[in-house]
Amino acid sequence: MDGETAAKENQRNFDRLSNLPDSLLCKILSDFSTKESVCSSVLSKRWRNLWLNVPSLDLDSSNFSDDDDDVFASFMDRFLGSENEQHLERFKLKYGILDHDESHFKSWIDAATRRKVRHLHVRNDKCDDGLVKMPPSLYSCERLVNLKLYCVFLDHPESVSLPCVKIMHLKKVRYDDDSTMEILISSCPVLEELTILLDPTDSLEVRVRSQSLKSFRIDCERDAYHYGHDVEIDAPRLECMTIRDNQSHSFIIHSIGLSTEVYIDVVFIKMEYRGLLGPYDSYKIPMLSEFLTGLSTVSDMTISAATLNVIHDYCEMKKLPQFSNLSYLQACFEDTSWEMLPALLESCPNLHYVSLDFELLPENEHVDLSSVPKCFQSSLEFVCLSTPYFENEQKEGRPLRGTSSKMKLAKYFIDNGAALKKLTLSSSFCNLINEIKSIPRSSTVCEVVMY
């Protein structure tokens, strides 16, 4: 196709596009960022102000130069202050204006809520770490479905009416008081997905009470100078929960779904003990008992090495509750905690699949693996064992680390796994695979494979 023909074809395509009604063109433009939709204004006179009627705003203030704060504010005022009162589908603002004008910011959020926005995402990236305050109009946005806030401040609400919110992400949000977050969450009757990212310096009480919640995630990094917060959750319809919280003082589970999938990375204790129960932590045993009992209904559980260290120390003092509904378990062991393996598996009488990752498996033939958990005889069909692979040792012809422990571990499952169908081993077992395959098997259908 030569240049003239291509130009004619482009013109025909543009003419076909221009023949579409404004409403459809605006819908097409809403799939682009606001910056891109504004660029369409140069196409023709008809397109000049079309971007003002696009039912979405997706804007990053950093797209304006540092000296153009007034230009950014004028742009926002023009888009949201226009006479157009049509509903907004999306309002997505990444805000990093150094010379923050609270009245301007309030007017933009008020305009978005007045136009019954469905997806409201506000991210504050102010370089001086200052918080921007969300106005009260946020609490009465009746078409809102998706709310995502980052590094903003929320005042205590007089009332909340958010009947359609299904997704809520609250990341490094600061609150007027502890009850503000609780009221916000509990006032969303159809909320299904909740993500909370806490600042390590927060010391608030996180209370999540929802009859509709299906997915819950909480994240908080460790801070050595702050002791943290308390968490309570009451969500009887919960299906998925992720806890990456290394700053909580306690975590109380009142109710979750009967078949919830959970990921746990939580330690409950001070930094100096490095994930182990110290001499001054005995008062936490009742709280740990309540936490583990609250998890006893889950069907799928993944446990981090740090959490397993806490459970290991807990087992020295108390017996684990029964996880009778658990069918899938993935756990990561450090070198000091794998001796608790029989006790851990004994607490899972109906386990179907287990994946065990050993960060370091020392030469330790004194670990007692004589106890055979109930699940070995009736339900445990699939086992995956993974240990580190030290390539240099293999190349140099030196014995691989943890050889006797790896053999003991594999033999434990092969000897006793009457229901076992497949034992999968990581490549670190390569020097032992033939010997392991020659072990007489309790299960006649068991196969041993290496990946």
Side-chain angles (χ1 to χ4, degrees):
M1 183 182 294
D2 59 30
E4 184 178 351
T5 304
K8 288 181 179 179
E9 180 64 23
N10 289 337
Q11 184 61 45
R12 280 195 294 270
N13 291 336
F14 178 73
D15 289 342
R16 280 196 292 269
L17 189 63
S18 295
N19 286 333
L20 296 174
D22 284 359
S23 58
L24 187 53
L25 290 175
C26 288
K27 183 169 178 54
I28 293 171
L29 289 174
S30 68
D31 291 330
F32 297 89
S33 70
T34 299
K35 181 180 178 180
E36 291 169 324
S37 68
V38 170
C39 290
S40 68
S41 62
V42 302
L43 294 175
S44 70
K45 184 177 180 180
R46 182 197 173 192
W47 288 74
R48 186 172 302 163
N49 294 315
L50 201 59
W51 63 275
L52 289 169
N53 297 316
V54 174
S56 68
L57 176 80
D58 184 350
L59 199 61
D60 183 347
S61 65
S62 66
N63 290 332
F64 296 76
S65 68
D66 294 340
D67 298 327
D68 282 348
D69 286 359
D70 290 341
V71 174
F72 171 77
S74 298
F75 180 91
M76 293 291 292
D77 288 343
R78 186 178 179 197
F79 182 87
L80 293 167
S82 65
E83 297 180 358
N84 182 9
E85 292 295 321
Q86 68 168 319
H87 291 171
L88 271 177
E89 286 300 307
R90 184 174 72 251
F91 181 97
K92 185 176 181 181
L93 177 62
K94 191 173 180 181
Y95 183 78
I97 301 301
L98 294 178
D99 189 15
H100 172 59
D101 186 322
E102 187 172 337
S103 63
H104 259 123
F105 184 83
K106 177 181 181 299
S107 71
W108 302 333
I109 305 301
D110 286 344
T113 57
R114 186 177 64 251
R115 291 176 59 177
K116 303 186 185 302
V117 65
R118 283 173 55 81
H119 301 267
L120 179 61
H121 302 179
V122 177
R123 178 184 178 93
N124 169 37
D125 281 337
K126 281 169 59 65
C127 296
D128 60 356
D129 294 326
L131 294 173
V132 297
K133 183 184 291 189
M134 299 296 290
S137 61
L138 171 70
Y139 297 123
S140 58
C141 199
E142 300 203 349
R143 283 182 76 244
L144 190 63
V145 173
N146 187 321
L147 175 63
K148 296 181 180 180
L149 303 175
Y150 178 86
C151 208
V152 299
F153 182 86
L154 293 179
D155 270 325
H156 186 87
E158 292 184 6
S159 64
V160 180
S161 179
L162 298 170
C164 298
V165 171
K166 290 188 175 183
I167 299 172
M168 184 183 295
H169 292 188
L170 304 172
K171 298 186 176 183
K172 295 191 176 181
V173 173
R174 292 297 177 98
Y175 306 89
D176 189 30
D177 56 35
D178 286 352
S179 65
T180 300
M181 179 196 290
E182 181 181 7
I183 293 170
L184 177 61
I185 294 169
S186 61
S187 299
C188 299
V190 297
L191 184 64
E192 294 183 357
E193 177 188 318
L194 174 64
T195 295
I196 298 173
L197 172 62
L198 296 173
D199 189 285
T201 61
D202 283 339
S203 58
L204 64 144
E205 293 184 15
V206 179
R207 291 185 290 268
V208 176
R209 307 183 194 279
S210 173
Q211 296 297 308
S212 59
L213 194 64
K214 294 181 180 179
S215 175
F216 173 59
R217 179 186 181 106
I218 183 167
D219 289 79
C220 187
E221 296 178 356
R222 169 68 66 181
D223 185 296
Y225 301 101
H226 296 85
Y227 195 34
H229 49 266
D230 297 322
V231 181
E232 290 185 42
I233 180 164
D234 185 358
R237 290 183 173 83
L238 201 66
E239 297 174 358
C240 180
M241 178 167 66
T242 299
I243 310 170
R244 292 180 180 270
D245 186 355
N246 292 309
Q247 195 71 11
S248 60
H249 176 265
S250 71
F251 202 113
I252 299 172
I253 299 173
H254 294 289
S255 68
I256 54 176
L258 292 178
S259 299
T260 306
E261 298 179 7
V262 299
Y263 175 90
I264 312 166
D265 183 10
V266 60
V267 293
F268 302 118
I269 46 185
K270 290 187 178 181
M271 197 73 167
E272 55 263 36
Y273 297 122
R274 298 181 182 178
L276 301 175
L277 285 171
Y280 303 106
D281 289 316
S282 59
Y283 72 96
K284 293 183 180 176
I285 297 300
M287 182 274 295
L288 283 168
S289 294
E290 190 173 0
F291 173 72
L292 293 170
T293 301
L295 292 170
S296 61
T297 63
V298 305
S299 63
D300 182 322
M301 182 157 55
T302 300
I303 310 174
S304 74
T307 301
L308 210 55
N309 281 339
V310 177
I311 295 174
H312 170 268
D313 289 2
Y314 175 86
C315 287
E316 304 265 312
M317 297 174 249
K318 292 202 68 174
K319 187 177 180 180
L320 285 171
Q322 289 288 290
F323 298 91
S324 300
N325 204 35
L326 192 66
S327 63
Y328 177 97
L329 173 65
Q330 183 171 348
C332 184
F333 288 81
E334 291 182 339
D335 59 331
T336 57
S337 59
W338 76 291
E339 62 194 42
M340 68 168 290
L341 182 59
L344 178 64
L345 296 179
E346 183 61 45
S347 69
C348 311
N350 298 305
L351 198 62
H352 177 71
Y353 178 99
V354 64
S355 176
L356 305 175
D357 183 6
F358 297 86
E359 293 184 353
L360 178 62
L361 200 60
E363 294 292 352
N364 189 348
E365 298 186 25
H366 302 294
V367 172
D368 183 9
L369 295 181
S370 60
S371 174
V372 180
K374 178 183 176 181
C375 63
F376 276 45
Q377 302 298 317
S378 58
S379 61
L380 187 59
E381 297 181 347
F382 302 96
V383 175
C384 181
L385 304 177
S386 176
T387 64
Y389 179 72
F390 299 98
E391 188 175 356
N392 288 339
E393 292 179 358
Q394 180 74 3
K395 286 181 178 179
E396 296 169 8
R398 288 185 287 152
L400 296 181
R401 294 183 215 179
T403 296
S404 63
S405 294
K406 284 186 282 190
M407 176 58 73
K408 186 172 186 175
L409 194 59
K411 195 172 186 297
Y412 179 56
F413 287 97
I414 293 174
D415 276 349
N416 302 298
L420 195 61
K421 291 182 178 179
K422 180 184 284 190
L423 173 63
T424 303
L425 306 171
S426 68
S427 59
S428 59
F429 287 82
C430 62
N431 62 322
L432 298 171
I433 189 64
N434 291 331
E435 189 177 350
I436 291 172
K437 285 184 176 182
S438 67
I439 299 173
R441 303 171 194 186
S442 176
S443 169
T444 57
V445 297
C446 175
E447 64 173 322
V448 178
V449 299
M450 190 173 67
Y451 67 92

